[in-house]
Amino acid sequence: MTTFQRIRHDLRLRLLEVQRVRAITPRMLRVTLGGEQLAGFVSAAHDDHAKVFFPEPGQTQPPLPTLGPNGPVFAEGARPAARDYTPRRYDPVANTLEIDFVLHGDGPASSWAARAAAGQWLGVGGPRGSFVLSDTFDWYLLAGDETALPAIGRRLEELPAGARAIVVAEVADAEEEQRFESRADVGILWLHRDGAQPGAPDRLLKAIAGLMLPPGEGYAWVAAEAQTAKALRRHLVDERGLGKDRIKAAAYWKHGAAAVHETYDD
């Protein structure tokens, strides 16, 4: 069975205007972007990541780099804050792109999102490539914390009828649970921190260890804090017997570090 296909995309940088801002939950915001430069946007996989550039205080638009032979080139003193985000949904007919932001109270992305309004501007670069996963597995395990929910939600929407998905998602509390549309057979286990600090692997690890995984050929996708992602990958390989090529585990954030996006293959 072919597990995945890697696709490279031409790198493009876009300046996009905020069209709508909507709260998905008390701590998750959905921003809809549009503009002529969005035409031709390509995102082929649920966990693609685009680089989002934010304006500095006092700026209406972030200064975008130019594309040189070795990649983006920033003007002297004009390097805006940037973070990786999942393209939650692209509508080529409406020419809109949705990106979900976790409101965690610090950092340039969360601070910008907390004040986001229609008419503001963001820069978006990429995605530079896609990791397109097969739709032919018997089941899929999708696990992670809030940072993983945009990719999980998109994956559930894109799965075909007849597919089976198990979701294990850790969120702050019951108010952070989301509703996802899917043609697949989906079961969701929500884990609530209820005041505990995010990033500890215990809840997700215990919940996944207690799962009765379905028979057949499965694939696991995990995204969370770095140590949590590593712990879940080790458990799925060492304790549950999944092949290393049947798991994708990624750090979408890391304690004590900024702008982290790492994938673990061993």
Side-chain angles (χ1 to χ4, degrees):
M1 178 191 297
T2 300
T3 305
F4 63 84
Q5 178 185 10
R6 292 188 185 274
I7 302 174
R8 301 298 298 176
H9 309 302
D10 292 334
L11 177 59
R12 291 185 58 182
L13 300 169
R14 296 172 164 90
L15 191 61
L16 303 176
E17 185 177 8
V18 176
Q19 294 188 350
R20 291 185 299 278
V21 177
R22 179 167 67 94
I24 302 302
T25 69
R27 298 178 183 87
M28 183 77 78
L29 200 70
R30 178 161 296 164
V31 175
T32 302
L33 303 170
E36 293 182 0
Q37 294 184 21
L38 188 56
F41 182 85
V42 177
S43 176
H46 77 284
D47 60 349
D48 284 350
H49 54 274
K51 187 72 70 176
V52 179
F53 299 92
F54 299 92
E56 297 293 334
Q59 293 179 334
T60 57
Q61 300 178 354
L64 295 185
T66 58
L67 292 178
N70 298 316
V73 178
F74 293 88
E76 184 74 23
R79 192 182 187 101
R83 297 290 187 269
D84 289 333
Y85 275 88
T86 300
R88 178 62 176 84
R89 184 182 295 109
Y90 170 60
D91 185 337
V93 177
N95 199 38
T96 57
L97 173 65
E98 294 178 347
I99 297 178
D100 291 354
F101 292 84
V102 179
L103 300 176
H104 50 73
D106 58 356
S110 182
S111 297
W112 178 89
R115 300 187 298 270
Q120 296 178 344
W121 296 82
L122 287 178
V124 175
R128 303 188 73 164
S130 298
F131 179 96
V132 181
L133 183 62
S134 167
D135 284 340
T136 58
F137 287 96
D138 296 305
W139 54 269
Y140 300 86
L141 172 64
L142 308 171
D145 59 19
E146 291 94 334
T147 61
L149 291 183
I152 289 174
R154 177 173 166 181
R155 181 60 173 157
L156 294 177
E157 289 179 1
E158 294 176 353
L159 280 173
R164 184 174 184 183
I166 306 104
V167 176
V168 182
E170 178 187 310
V171 294
D173 51 43
E175 289 187 316
E176 293 306 303
E177 295 184 11
Q178 296 186 29
R179 291 177 177 266
F180 300 117
E181 299 294 329
S182 184
R183 293 168 294 170
D185 177 10
V186 179
I188 303 181
L189 174 60
W190 292 101
L191 309 175
H192 303 152
R193 288 190 299 274
D194 289 328
Q197 291 298 308
D202 307 25
R203 292 175 191 80
L204 282 165
L205 191 58
K206 181 178 179 180
I208 290 174
L211 287 178
M212 180 78 71
L213 295 177
E217 192 76 22
Y219 190 95
W221 182 91
V222 172
E225 195 278 333
Q227 294 307 312
T228 298
K230 290 178 181 179
L232 295 179
R233 180 175 175 83
R234 285 194 301 268
H235 168 76
L236 290 167
V237 172
D238 297 342
E239 306 298 329
R240 309 308 292 267
L242 267 70
K244 291 183 177 181
D245 63 341
R246 297 295 187 262
I247 305 169
K248 185 176 182 183
Y252 275 13
W253 64 287
K254 186 176 185 178
H255 282 299
V260 171
H261 190 116
E262 300 172 343
T263 300
Y264 306 119
D265 299 320
D266 54 13

Short mmCIF file of all heavy atoms in Angstrom, two decimals, residues 4-5 11 49 63 68 118 140 145 150 164-165 183 238 251 254 265:
data_model
loop_
_atom_site.label_atom_id
_atom_site.label_comp_id
_atom_site.label_asym_id
_atom_site.label_seq_id
_atom_site.Cartn_x
_atom_site.Cartn_y
_atom_site.Cartn_z
N PHE A 4 1.75 7.54 1.39
CA PHE A 4 1.63 8.97 1.17
C PHE A 4 2.38 9.38 -0.08
O PHE A 4 3.19 8.63 -0.64
CB PHE A 4 2.15 9.75 2.37
CG PHE A 4 3.62 9.55 2.62
CD1 PHE A 4 4.58 10.30 1.94
CD2 PHE A 4 4.07 8.60 3.52
CE1 PHE A 4 5.93 10.12 2.16
CE2 PHE A 4 5.43 8.40 3.74
CZ PHE A 4 6.35 9.16 3.06
N GLN A 5 2.12 10.59 -0.50
CA GLN A 5 2.82 11.19 -1.64
C GLN A 5 3.26 12.60 -1.24
O GLN A 5 2.47 13.37 -0.70
CB GLN A 5 1.89 11.27 -2.86
CG GLN A 5 2.52 11.93 -4.08
CD GLN A 5 1.52 12.09 -5.21
OE1 GLN A 5 0.32 11.87 -5.02
NE2 GLN A 5 2.00 12.46 -6.37
N LEU A 11 6.77 28.36 -4.33
CA LEU A 11 6.58 29.27 -3.20
C LEU A 11 6.03 30.60 -3.68
O LEU A 11 6.58 31.23 -4.58
CB LEU A 11 7.92 29.50 -2.48
CG LEU A 11 7.87 30.48 -1.30
CD1 LEU A 11 6.87 30.01 -0.24
CD2 LEU A 11 9.25 30.65 -0.70
N HIS A 49 1.27 23.46 6.21
CA HIS A 49 1.41 24.67 7.01
C HIS A 49 1.88 25.82 6.12
O HIS A 49 2.76 25.68 5.28
CB HIS A 49 2.34 24.49 8.21
CG HIS A 49 3.69 23.96 7.89
ND1 HIS A 49 3.97 22.62 7.78
CD2 HIS A 49 4.86 24.60 7.64
CE1 HIS A 49 5.24 22.44 7.50
NE2 HIS A 49 5.81 23.63 7.40
N PRO A 63 5.52 43.90 6.27
CA PRO A 63 6.43 43.95 5.12
C PRO A 63 6.81 42.53 4.70
O PRO A 63 7.34 41.76 5.50
CB PRO A 63 7.63 44.72 5.66
CG PRO A 63 7.62 44.46 7.14
CD PRO A 63 6.18 44.31 7.52
N GLY A 68 14.27 35.42 -3.51
CA GLY A 68 15.56 35.33 -4.17
C GLY A 68 15.86 33.91 -4.59
O GLY A 68 15.06 32.99 -4.36
N ALA A 118 -12.14 42.80 10.43
CA ALA A 118 -12.22 42.93 8.97
C ALA A 118 -11.51 44.20 8.53
O ALA A 118 -11.58 45.24 9.19
CB ALA A 118 -13.67 42.94 8.53
N TYR A 140 -8.16 5.50 10.97
CA TYR A 140 -7.21 6.59 11.22
C TYR A 140 -7.36 7.04 12.67
O TYR A 140 -8.48 7.21 13.17
CB TYR A 140 -7.50 7.79 10.31
CG TYR A 140 -7.39 7.46 8.84
CD1 TYR A 140 -8.49 6.93 8.16
CD2 TYR A 140 -6.21 7.65 8.14
CE1 TYR A 140 -8.40 6.60 6.81
CE2 TYR A 140 -6.11 7.34 6.79
CZ TYR A 140 -7.22 6.81 6.14
OH TYR A 140 -7.13 6.48 4.81
N ASP A 145 -3.58 18.33 20.82
CA ASP A 145 -4.20 19.36 21.65
C ASP A 145 -4.85 20.41 20.75
O ASP A 145 -5.09 20.16 19.56
CB ASP A 145 -3.17 19.96 22.61
CG ASP A 145 -1.97 20.58 21.88
OD1 ASP A 145 -2.07 20.86 20.66
OD2 ASP A 145 -0.92 20.78 22.53
N PRO A 150 -7.28 22.41 14.00
CA PRO A 150 -7.54 22.80 12.60
C PRO A 150 -7.21 21.70 11.60
O PRO A 150 -7.99 21.45 10.68
CB PRO A 150 -6.64 24.03 12.42
CG PRO A 150 -6.52 24.60 13.79
CD PRO A 150 -6.45 23.41 14.70
N ARG A 164 -13.04 5.27 8.58
CA ARG A 164 -13.26 5.25 10.02
C ARG A 164 -12.17 6.07 10.70
O ARG A 164 -10.98 5.87 10.43
CB ARG A 164 -13.26 3.82 10.56
CG ARG A 164 -13.57 3.72 12.05
CD ARG A 164 -13.70 2.28 12.49
NE ARG A 164 -14.10 2.20 13.89
CZ ARG A 164 -14.24 1.05 14.56
NH1 ARG A 164 -14.03 -0.10 13.94
NH2 ARG A 164 -14.59 1.06 15.84
N ALA A 165 -12.55 6.97 11.60
CA ALA A 165 -11.59 7.82 12.28
C ALA A 165 -11.86 7.84 13.77
O ALA A 165 -13.01 7.92 14.20
CB ALA A 165 -11.64 9.24 11.73
N ARG A 183 -18.05 12.88 6.39
CA ARG A 183 -18.77 11.77 5.79
C ARG A 183 -18.31 10.44 6.37
O ARG A 183 -18.96 9.40 6.16
CB ARG A 183 -18.56 11.76 4.27
CG ARG A 183 -19.17 12.95 3.53
CD ARG A 183 -18.68 13.01 2.11
NE ARG A 183 -17.24 13.29 2.07
CZ ARG A 183 -16.49 13.22 0.97
NH1 ARG A 183 -17.03 12.85 -0.18
NH2 ARG A 183 -15.21 13.50 1.02
N ASP A 238 6.11 1.22 20.13
CA ASP A 238 6.61 0.19 21.05
C ASP A 238 5.52 -0.63 21.71
O ASP A 238 5.69 -1.85 21.92
CB ASP A 238 7.47 0.85 22.14
CG ASP A 238 8.71 1.55 21.59
OD1 ASP A 238 9.10 1.24 20.44
OD2 ASP A 238 9.26 2.42 22.29
N ALA A 251 5.60 18.20 16.41
CA ALA A 251 5.51 19.21 17.46
C ALA A 251 4.98 20.49 16.83
O ALA A 251 5.60 21.05 15.93
CB ALA A 251 6.88 19.46 18.07
N LYS A 254 6.47 24.03 21.61
CA LYS A 254 7.45 23.45 22.53
C LYS A 254 7.63 24.37 23.72
O LYS A 254 7.77 25.59 23.55
CB LYS A 254 8.79 23.25 21.80
CG LYS A 254 9.85 22.52 22.59
CD LYS A 254 11.08 22.30 21.72
CE LYS A 254 12.14 21.47 22.42
NZ LYS A 254 13.31 21.23 21.52
N ASP A 265 10.48 11.19 13.05
CA ASP A 265 10.42 10.01 12.20
C ASP A 265 10.99 8.76 12.83
O ASP A 265 10.92 7.68 12.22
CB ASP A 265 11.16 10.28 10.87
CG ASP A 265 10.55 11.41 10.08
OD1 ASP A 265 9.30 11.48 10.05
OD2 ASP A 265 11.30 12.20 9.49
#
